[in-house]
Amino acid sequence: RAIHMINLILFGPPGSGKGTQAIKLVEKYNLLHISTGDLFRYEMGNNTPLGLEAKSYIEKGQLVPDSVTIGMLKNKVDSNPDVSGYIFDGFPRTINQAEALDSLLAEKKLVIDKLLSLKVEDDEIVKRILHRGKTSGRADDNDASIIQNRINVYKQETSPVFDYYAKAGKSVLVEGMGDIDEIFERLNAEVHAI
Ligand code: AMP
């Protein structure tokens, strides 16, 4: 890989602080932040066909189908080639997405350097998401049963992605409880170890 290129996956359950930490990492390392959740919300806000399709899954706390998600992600990466690295937030969420990401990067002679997984307890997750829901305007942040569904989907479909990158020695579990700056320092230490 190019020496200064750093490609990270910020991983963890919904409400684990991925978005918050991604913003801080982007500032420090000058990476392009790609959040598939944000991309879907942008499409939904503009009532595009992609947005309307995504909405029917997102409002139930289910995953948007891989075909849709991978296509959207690929567009975003392809249209931003001149960056010093990518930080993927909320993607990949399935093994299929992880394989697609690895092939997309391989075509560009790039690799994922590290998957940083934020570890947060379930009851804290629910608390954080309900708190965020007061201001996020997100329907999926305001309903306890949708939140529970998102947590279940994470455990069943998404957590295997940690093991997938662990096989390549790239997955790291980072304590995600505590204050924002303290967690950021833990992530920084892992980025410096690349
Ligand atoms: P997030 O903002 O990352 O919590 O994502 C919000 C919602 O968007 C998720 O609950 C999913 O319904 C959908 N979503 C975001 N990223 C993905 C992905 N990589 N694969 C499938 N669905 C996704």
Side-chain angles (χ1 to χ4, degrees), residues 36-37 40-41 58 62-64 69 90-91 93 97 138 140 150:
T36 42
F40 284 132
R41 282 183 287 276
I58 292 174
Q62 297 170 355
L63 294 184
V64 179
T69 305
F91 184 95
R93 265 176 154 100
Q97 290 180 15
R138 288 175 54 173
D140 62 342
R150 291 164 67 197

Side-chain angles (χ1 to χ4, degrees), residues 91-139:
F91 184 95
R93 265 176 154 100
T94 62
I95 294 285
N96 194 25
Q97 290 180 15
E99 290 172 348
L101 178 62
D102 283 353
S103 348
L104 172 65
L105 293 178
E107 281 169 25
K108 301 171 193 299
K109 306 259 183 291
L110 299 174
V111 292
I112 290 297
D113 295 290
K114 229 169 210 189
L115 177 151
L116 301 164
S117 181
L118 291 167
K119 184 177 184 292
V120 178
E121 293 152 16
D122 282 8
D123 52 346
E124 171 73 9
I125 286 171
V126 175
K127 238 192 278 169
R128 286 188 192 181
I129 296 180
L130 286 171
H131 180 74
R132 179 173 72 187
K134 291 181 191 162
T135 53
S136 71
R138 288 175 54 173

